[in-house]
Each structure stands twice: as structure tokens, then as C-alpha cells.
Amino acid sequence: MFLKASFTSLIVGVFVVYVLHTCWVMYGIVYTKPCDNPKEDNCITPFLAGNPKLQLSIYTALRPNAEGGHTLIHKEETFDVNSKFERIVNVTLPKKTRNNGTLYALIFVHQAGVTPWQDPRQVHLVAQLTTYMVPKLPEISLISGDDQTQGQKEEAQQKKGEGDPAAAPTSTADHPVSHWRTRLTFNIVGDPFVFDRESLPSDVHRYLRVFQNGKKMVYLPLLFVDELSNRVKDLAEINSTSMELPLTISYDSISLGRLRFWIHMQDAVFSLQQFGFTEKDADEIKGIFVDTNLYFLGLTFFVAAFHLLFDFLAFKNDISFWKEKKSMVGMSSKAVLWRCFSTIVIFLYLFDQQTSLLVLIPAGIGSIIEVWKVKKALKIQVFWKGGKPTFLFGKMDESERRTEHYDTLAMKYLSYLLYPLCIGGAVYALVFQRYKSWYSWLINSLVNGVYAFGFLFMLPQLFVNYKLKSVAHLPWKAFMYKAFNTFIDDVFAFIITMPTSHRLACFRDDVVFLIYLYQRWLYPVDKTRVNEYGVSYDEEPKKEKTHKD
């Protein structure tokens, strides 16, 4: 018991150190030490402090160095750094871009009245306006074979008559094709911050351009292209008929602390892509930062840290519970089987929907654990003979048979309601909805049944608890950690992108845990009953009294 408590204390201690270290790192990112005396030679003063007249010019080019020509698409002749704006411009696509090529945007901030190439003190950055992605497979009606509804057909015909390139047929190949980024977002630091040359942050150094003005060093405006704002939902597939596409240009000033934070997050997303994360996986992480308030993002970090801690503690206690479990008295084997089946179905559904790895990987690990629980619950032993597995099922005692009777009775009542609803929902989806394949329809139908009515399969355990008038056989430590995580999942349901049915299932589990807590209060723990390890405290063998001869 001391070793177990020490191990848990060690994990909690490591968690506290991790949180404190992360807070210190975040403070170092957001806070930058200014120069104490701006008149000293080791200070770097801002060029914007002199209120210069600036102009913004944005060009497109086939190469990032503008070789081979460039085209002006937008300019702001009186550019105010502290004035936010948003413009929509139509960009003509070159022939190479339409033929699965690329296109770049060159953003210049320079002195008004001259071209960027005539201004030695101009600053510029290059942003890619196109990216490569595998197009989404079209969904069709499995009965009629149509890939569009009647309303979609009429809309497509109308767009075709108007010459809309979006109405042109899209590619269905499985190789990446060029997609248009419909948004271009950039920022400039508006704070007149004075840097100390000896404590210049390394993350800002690559964006810093300085020049000598007498004895003083002056840095030009800090220009930053926000790549995190480029979301998958804003992409449009480019084909040979896409002659002109709209581009939304967004600008806003930014504080130095937020700029440094954004640089680190952008680098982190890029590193994940280098490790094999797809554009869609990276997009889920971008959504956490872009679509969330910065203060709420800080709260999300602490919530995620506690979620990680509770996940580990629940995993540890759950594994310990089932590892030492020898009797299924008071435990619903049907609920264990259903939980195994449902987690596998949910994993296959999330994989079919190309869900983020942040959701997919935990679901896959959970499926493996549930299969192991089924092996323990049914007392299955596997023997290999000649490369072929042989399964041996254990026998139940009288108490386990009584629990199994209650379990079977509860499932019998549930089947009268559950099976017609699941079959009816599957038939309705087959007739009125569209899917990529029959496999996709099957997985969607199964997972809709799991999400909509899956909590009903938790009721047999509640029914067994009611009949036995006891909850001492349940792994309450693991249950409580999972209960905390369930409420934390409610927060993540609004932050991480996931299917709507998966989001609703998070709130459904709250009700089930509340019922379990009510039964915990209703049926106090009785030490004469069998506990979670299949033994009773009052049934321990008593020591015989010794006597002298």
C-alpha cells in the first residue's frame, strides 16, 4: 500500500513540477525585458516612433523571390499601422497555378510614393497562397447512385449558367491537388518597444531588420504573416477553369507578447507536420489557438493538464482493478462486452471520418484495453497449438450465476427498445443520406446507435446494483477519475473539432455518472459484501488461538 501511494504521489509531484515549469516558460515568452535607458547605445529603437508615412503593397508571383514577374493585387497608399482593416480582392490565377501549380504573395511595407524595390528600408514577407491536399471523396446515395440532391443539382446548374468556376467538376483522384487559401492574414507590432541588444529574444531576431542612424540602432516594423489563420475549411480546390478566385486580406496590429507567443505556436505546428501530421491534423491544433480567446486558451491549458493527470490515474487504477479481478460478482458482463464493441465501432468511425489524431489515438488505445477487459471478464484463456488459437472459457460460481441472471434480464428488456430504434435509424440513413461507400454507411449506422442509445447499455450495471443493493464491487477510484475527465471533456467538446454525435456523447456520459453517484449514496458500502477484488473482509480466515501444552 505504501509503494502504491508513493508511486501516485510521485506522479502528482511530477505533474505539479510540469505545470510550474510550463507557467515559467510561458511567462518568459510573453514578457520581454525592455531597454532601461533608451538613450544608451545598446538600445534598439523602433522606426515607427518617428511616425513615417508608409504604404502597403501586395504582389503575387510564381516564385517566392519574384523571378519571372509579379502582379500587384492590392495597395494601401496611406497605411496606418494601428488601423485594422479587411479587404476582398479578386486574384487572377496564372496558367501554371491552374495546372496544379503554386502561387505566392509578397507583402511589402515601404515608404509612401515609391515602389518597394526603390526603398532600401522596406520590409517584406512571403506567404504561400496555395497548398496541396487530397480532395475529399464525394458522397453518393447508395440506392439511387446520385452524388447530389435535387436542390444541389439546381444550384449547380444555376452556377454553371453564370460561369461560376466553383460549379466545375472537382477531381476525385487520390493524389494531392492544389487548393486556394482564401484568407491572407498579417500583423505588425504597434507598440513602440525599445529592445535591449544584450537580451534580444531569439524568436524575434529572425523578423528584425535594423539599420544604423548615427550612433543609434533602429529596427524596421516587425511584419508577421499569421499562418495559423489558414484553416482547411477556408480552402478551395483549384482546377483548370478557375480563372479568378477571391482573396480576403486581413490586417491588425499585434502586441509584442502576442507576437512571440504566435511565433512559438506556429513553429510547434510546423514541427508536428514534419513528424508526419497531415494538414487536417495540424488544422485541429490551429483551431484551438485561432478560434479561442487567449485567456480562455490559458484556462484550456490547465484543464488539459488536469485531464492528462486524471487520464493516467484512471488508467492506472482501472488496469489494477481488472488485473486483480478474479470474480465477476456484481459486475455486468454484458456491459463489458458492449463497452468493448462500442469503443471499437467509435474508433473505426473516427478513422473513417479522418478525425484528428488528438482524438483518434486515445480511442485506439481504449479499444485495446476494452478487449483485454473482455478476456478477463469471461475468464478466457488462449492456447496456441500448431499456430492456431484455442479458447477456453472459465466456469461461474453460484454468486456469479445470480449476477448473470440479473444482467440477462436487464438486456432482455432493453432489446425490446434498442433493436427497433437502431434498425429504423439505419434504414432511414440509407434512404435519405449520402455516404462514400457501403462500409461508411455501416460504420455510421453502428456509431449512431452507439452514440444515441449506447448509454442504455450502461443500465444493466445499474440494474445489477439495484438488485444486489450494493456498489462495493465497482472500481470507484477509476470511476471518480473518469467522472472528472467526463466533465473536462465537456469543455474540450467546444474546443477540438469532432463529429457532432461524438460531442453529444460527452454530455450523455454526465448523466450516467450522476446516477452512479446516487447509487453510491443510496447503497452504503457493506464490508460483509464482496468487494472489487472478489473477496469479503469478514470472510478472511481467522487465526487459531495458540495454547500451551
Side-chain angles (χ1 to χ4, degrees), residues 152-436:
Q152 289 174 329
K153 288 181 180 179
E154 294 175 358
E155 184 180 356
Q157 290 293 336
Q158 183 179 359
K159 287 184 178 181
K160 187 176 181 180
E162 296 173 356
D164 190 345
T170 57
S171 173
T172 59
D174 56 355
H175 63 277
V177 298
S178 185
H179 284 67
W180 177 253
R181 289 176 171 174
T182 58
R183 297 191 64 87
L184 175 63
T185 305
F186 61 98
N187 312 96
I188 292 179
V189 176
D191 303 334
F193 190 85
V194 180
F195 287 101
D196 189 342
R197 189 187 306 180
E198 297 179 356
S199 58
L200 187 65
S202 58
D203 44 34
V204 179
H205 188 272
R206 53 179 158 166
Y207 292 94
L208 201 67
R209 285 195 58 197
V210 298
F211 65 91
Q212 193 78 28
N213 186 14
K215 294 183 178 181
K216 294 183 179 181
M217 296 291 293
V218 181
Y219 70 91
L220 294 172
L222 289 172
L223 179 62
F224 174 73
V225 176
D226 186 5
E227 296 286 348
L228 295 178
S229 62
N230 293 326
R231 305 295 306 280
V232 171
K233 63 182 180 181
D234 297 326
L235 295 179
E237 185 178 342
I238 300 175
N239 50 55
S240 58
T241 61
S242 303
M243 304 298 295
E244 195 176 69
L245 289 176
L247 176 66
T248 301
I249 301 174
S250 300
Y251 168 78
D252 194 6
S253 60
I254 190 173
S255 64
L256 180 61
R258 191 180 183 92
L259 171 69
R260 295 188 60 195
F261 178 78
W262 239 235
I263 291 173
H264 280 270
M265 295 304 103
Q266 199 160 280
D267 291 345
V269 172
F270 178 76
S271 300
L272 291 176
Q273 289 177 310
Q274 296 298 110
F275 279 106
F277 272 56
T278 64
E279 183 78 19
K280 189 176 187 338
D281 296 327
D283 185 72
E284 309 296 342
I285 303 175
K286 290 179 182 179
I288 298 177
F289 300 109
V290 177
D291 299 338
T292 308
N293 181 275
L294 196 58
Y295 295 103
F296 188 64
L297 184 62
L299 175 63
T300 303
F301 161 73
F302 287 104
V303 169
F306 279 102
H307 191 285
L308 182 65
L309 175 65
F310 291 143
D311 258 340
F312 179 83
L313 294 177
F315 173 79
K316 169 184 170 294
N317 284 276
D318 203 24
I319 294 298
S320 300
F321 168 78
W322 285 98
K323 185 178 180 181
E324 301 180 20
K325 186 89 176 150
K326 298 179 180 179
S327 173
M328 283 297 291
V329 175
M331 297 292 295
S332 172
S333 59
K334 301 292 192 304
V336 176
L337 283 170
W338 167 252
R339 197 157 46 242
C340 177
F341 171 76
S342 61
T343 51
I344 293 175
V345 169
I346 290 173
F347 171 75
L348 294 175
Y349 170 71
L350 296 175
F351 183 79
D352 182 68
Q353 294 291 317
Q354 298 180 348
T355 307
S356 169
L357 292 176
L358 298 175
V359 180
L360 189 63
I361 293 177
I365 297 175
S367 301
I368 297 174
I369 295 175
E370 293 300 330
V371 172
W372 174 73
K373 288 181 183 179
V374 170
K375 177 179 177 296
K376 293 287 294 185
L378 301 182
K379 302 178 182 179
I380 301 176
Q381 295 181 352
V382 183
F383 301 96
W384 294 87
K385 294 181 179 179
K388 295 182 180 181
T390 302
F391 300 95
L392 180 64
F393 293 84
K395 296 182 179 180
M396 294 186 295
D397 56 24
E398 183 62 31
S399 299
E400 289 177 323
R401 280 194 290 269
R402 187 159 63 99
T403 302
E404 186 69 18
H405 170 71
Y406 295 145
D407 194 16
T408 304
L409 187 62
M411 285 300 302
K412 178 182 177 181
Y413 296 147
L414 282 178
S415 63
Y416 296 150
L417 174 66
L418 189 65
Y419 296 153
L421 290 176
C422 290
I423 295 174
V427 173
Y428 175 86
L430 179 63
V431 175
F432 295 101
Q433 296 183 6
R434 282 157 175 75
Y435 299 93
K436 293 179 291 186

Side-chain angles (χ1 to χ4, degrees), residues 417-482:
L417 174 66
L418 189 65
Y419 296 153
L421 290 176
C422 290
I423 295 174
V427 173
Y428 175 86
L430 179 63
V431 175
F432 295 101
Q433 296 183 6
R434 282 157 175 75
Y435 299 93
K436 293 179 291 186
S437 63
W438 285 97
Y439 170 78
S440 181
W441 165 78
L442 177 63
I443 291 298
N444 274 267
S445 300
L446 289 175
V447 83
N448 285 336
V450 169
Y451 283 141
F453 314 113
F455 73 100
L456 296 177
F457 277 93
M458 301 181 186
L459 299 183
Q461 182 62 64
L462 300 177
F463 184 75
V464 171
N465 297 343
Y466 165 73
K467 285 293 185 180
L468 295 179
K469 298 294 187 294
S470 173
V471 293
H473 42 268
L474 297 177
W476 280 103
K477 283 187 178 180
F479 261 30
M480 292 310 299
Y481 291 133
K482 289 181 179 179

